[in-house]
Amino acid sequence: MPRIDRIAEPWGSRTPYGPGETWPVRVDSYLADGLTEDDVDRWAQSATILHSNGDGLDIAVKDDRIVGVRGRAVDRVNHGRLGPKDLYGWQANNSPDRLTKPLIRRDGELVETDWDTAMDAVAGRCRELLDEQGPSSIAFYTTGQLFLEEYYTLGLIAHGGIGTNHVDGNTRLCTATAAAALKETFACDGQPGSYTDIDHADVIALYGHNMAETQTVLWTRILDRLAGPNPPQVVCVDPRETPVARAATVHLAPRPGTNVMLMNALLHEIIGNGWVDRDYVDAHTVGFDELAKRVEDYPPEVAAEVCDVPVEDIRKAARIIGHARRLLSTVLQGFYQSHQATAAAVQVNNINVVRGMLGRPGCGILQMNGQPTAQNTREAGADGDLPAFRNWSNDSHIKDLARVWNVDPMDIPHYSPPTHAMQMFRYAEEGSIRFLYVTATNPAVSLPELARIRSILAQDRLFLVVQDIFLSETAQLADVVLPAATWGEKTGTFTNVDRTVHLSEKAVDPPGEARPDLDILIDFAHRLDLRDKDGEPLVKWSDPEGAFEGWKECSKGRPCDYSGLSYDKLRGGSGIQWPVTEEHPDGTEHIYVDGQFWAEPSYCESYGRDLVTGAPLDGTEYRALNPSGRAVLKAAGYLPPHELVSEEFPFQLITGRTLYHFHTRTKTARAPQLQAAAPEVWVEMAASDAGDRGWAEGDLLEIRTPRGRVEARLRISGIRPGVAFLPFHYGYWDQPGGDRPDGHGRAANELTLTDWDPCSKQPIFKTAAAAVTRLAAGDGPSAAPTTTGSRPVSADVPPTRGGTAAEAVEVLAQGGAR
Ligand SMILES: Nc1nc2c(c(=O)[nH]1)N[C@H]1C(S)=C(S)[C@@H](COP(=O)(O)OP(=O)(O)OC[C@H]3O[C@@H](n4cnc5c(=O)[nH]c(N)nc54)[C@H](O)[C@@H]3O)O[C@H]1N2
Ligand SMILES: Nc1nc2c(c(=O)[nH]1)N[C@H]1C(S)=C(S)[C@@H](COP(=O)(O)OP(=O)(O)OC[C@H]3O[C@@H](n4cnc5c(=O)[nH]c(N)nc54)[C@H](O)[C@@H]3O)O[C@H]1N2
Ligand SMILES: [Mo]
């Protein structure tokens, strides 16, 4: 069987196809230690977890250990393909340094203990605080990496049992703007697009989205269209020369933080030239006149100046988008992690809406998620929102939720918008939050301004519980550490960006005494003795399928309706797109068909916000604006970034990802092929910036902002001049699981600022002003990958290769390139 080094060739072989054709099948697999499929004892059905794409796969098991993975040919998402992180990342499950016993802090040290002692300490401290200070002293900070069943249970415990409003996920750092932008335009979360739109689109526009590295299989789908007949045109908006930029018909590389200016100029051209579907706008929208008037002030000449992009490129991009017959737009962190995040993302929605490009094949918006299960954090109400897109400011929605949970409506906090993560950390800093229960996230590396975060997490008065699979940087600061089972070791469901629900089956037992997150949460609820209004236990299930059945009831009749799904139905075939109901038993590929939205005032999830101040609108205001539930076209003026460059801090600092690592690397650094591909932090700068200063590839630089400093070796790349890029994957411990802080010198978030978008409250990771100096000349190139956005401009950097250790199998169903 053909073997390919998938470190060297992250996207594998091409299987070209044309518009409207079916994407050919290509089954990718990787088994450890030279095993073949004949050696495998059994396969367990699941999907990928180190990104949001939701590629169906099977987990290979031999001698009760995970030994590899194979893509599922029948799955609608990937047609068998897997990306490098999927092929190699599962090895972290088998890492010898997994947490296997609970830990508790005694005399300043974390020591091993038994589950009873650990859980009594957790529930005991929580109960004490509830009695002394009330529910507002309790907070939960969760993730986009657990299962739907776990979030739903957590939301029930926190909102319905404890009654705190302080529940959020790291999804605040990740997809808060996706949700916010959808709520602004459609008054409800829920992804309008479908991945199959790639099969039909004639124009694909990617805004601040390095899909090639962050959803590799989705990008493979685009590459296969680009290699086929009548390929789509691609528009890329990104200040770096990413693989997306290289494949684009037009690449706009704006100054970081100027997205709204650029979007307004694109809309200026589109509306000004009449590239508008007037019938659609008249029948299905409100707000067009304000939008048209607002963007009059943003001619391309002005944007060209502010964004520093050639005016003819802006016009060209607008013409391509304006003439598209089937337009797919995708948005991610280059838009979401900035000061006008929601305002910018909403302008992307506006383009598709004014062009009438929604609800049919090839016409979609993907306000992308990042994490594998972030969609579920939002749906199930573990990000502060209420379950199943219920509206916290609509009393009848609260009453309905109270019915499902059998609690009193007044017991569900809904007196103000849910507390967002950045505010929760502020409350912990000020001392009003005294108990913080962290599940499956590593805030000591991933939150902005780490010196501050460390000091908050290390406070004596804060009781910190960390539930993880490794002793992360955050876990090392905890009072109690709870060892969790993870993907492959527990069962549950999760939903990807395009609403596809997958079942992930347990393949093997967790190591040592580690337990599924769901079991731990239910144990916590029982120890707190949480009850419903009839005195029965509040949490009525004891296993994942029971939780799923509870969720089906909760979601029935709401937009994200799972009531027609079951575990059995998800077994054997492809993932299925919600809503799944009696009328649509096989799921729903396109929502918002014929301009039908979930925006009707009594049904919608959100009444929207002011894009500048973030203040929520109330029901009366919303009814006046949008009585019949149309799409809302919201305009926004451009505001400059909050932290501007100066003589002292002349570089714009942006941060982000590389193809081979996931976040704080707790998993990918433990997969040898991935770690070797990007072993240490680097900083990207343009050749002109390096040349002006006499710096060379591989020189050791110091990057400094008013918050901290990082040392990194220089990669001279195709990034725009004046901008420096740092990957944020490298935490401050020497090696994952190591116990020696190395002086806090390499985590990008030492440098980032405590500031957020007013509407989505998503932190600004993509614009800060930095000083860069050289500490030492290098003795060779930096270790940054050459296959990605960090591709060197110079030819003498050795290419990134995985060698035989990274050879994966690729089986083409129809003749492809190999
Ligand atoms: N390999 C890999 N894949 C992942 C992840 C991972 O850690 N590694 N994480 C997953 C998660 S949780 C997420 S959220 C996604 C994130 O996926 P992406 O959003 O695609 O990744 P980022 O690298 O954070 O940011 C994307 C791009 O934004 C650009 N950018 C920076 N500032 C600006 C700006 O002001 N304007 C514009 N237009 N662009 C700007 C950067 O140059 C960068 O190329 O990836 C998911 N997939
Ligand atoms: N500067 C900068 N900072 C950023 C970003 C950026 O672009 N730039 N991006 C932001 C974004 S989009 C995101 S999503 C965040 C990600 O930030 P984090 O969520 O902090 O990153 P992870 O490394 O994914 O942390 C997940 C943790 O959960 C653990 N874990 C994995 N599986 C399980 C499980 O099944 N159960 C339990 N209990 N634990 C588990 C892992 O070991 C790990 O410690 O970072 C954000 N921070
Ligand atoms: Mo994310």
Side-chain angles (χ1 to χ4, degrees), residues 285-303:
T285 72
V286 295
F288 180 77
D289 293 343
E290 290 98 286
L291 178 68
K293 190 159 184 312
R294 179 69 64 98
V295 300
E296 267 175 24
D297 299 339
Y298 293 86
E301 290 76 13
V302 173

Side-chain angles (χ1 to χ4, degrees), residues 100-104 106 109-114 117 513:
T100 55
K101 278 177 90 62
L103 308 175
I104 193 162
R106 298 269 187 248
E109 299 287 311
L110 282 173
V111 295
E112 288 191 350
T113 188
D114 57 81
T117 310
E513 294 174 25

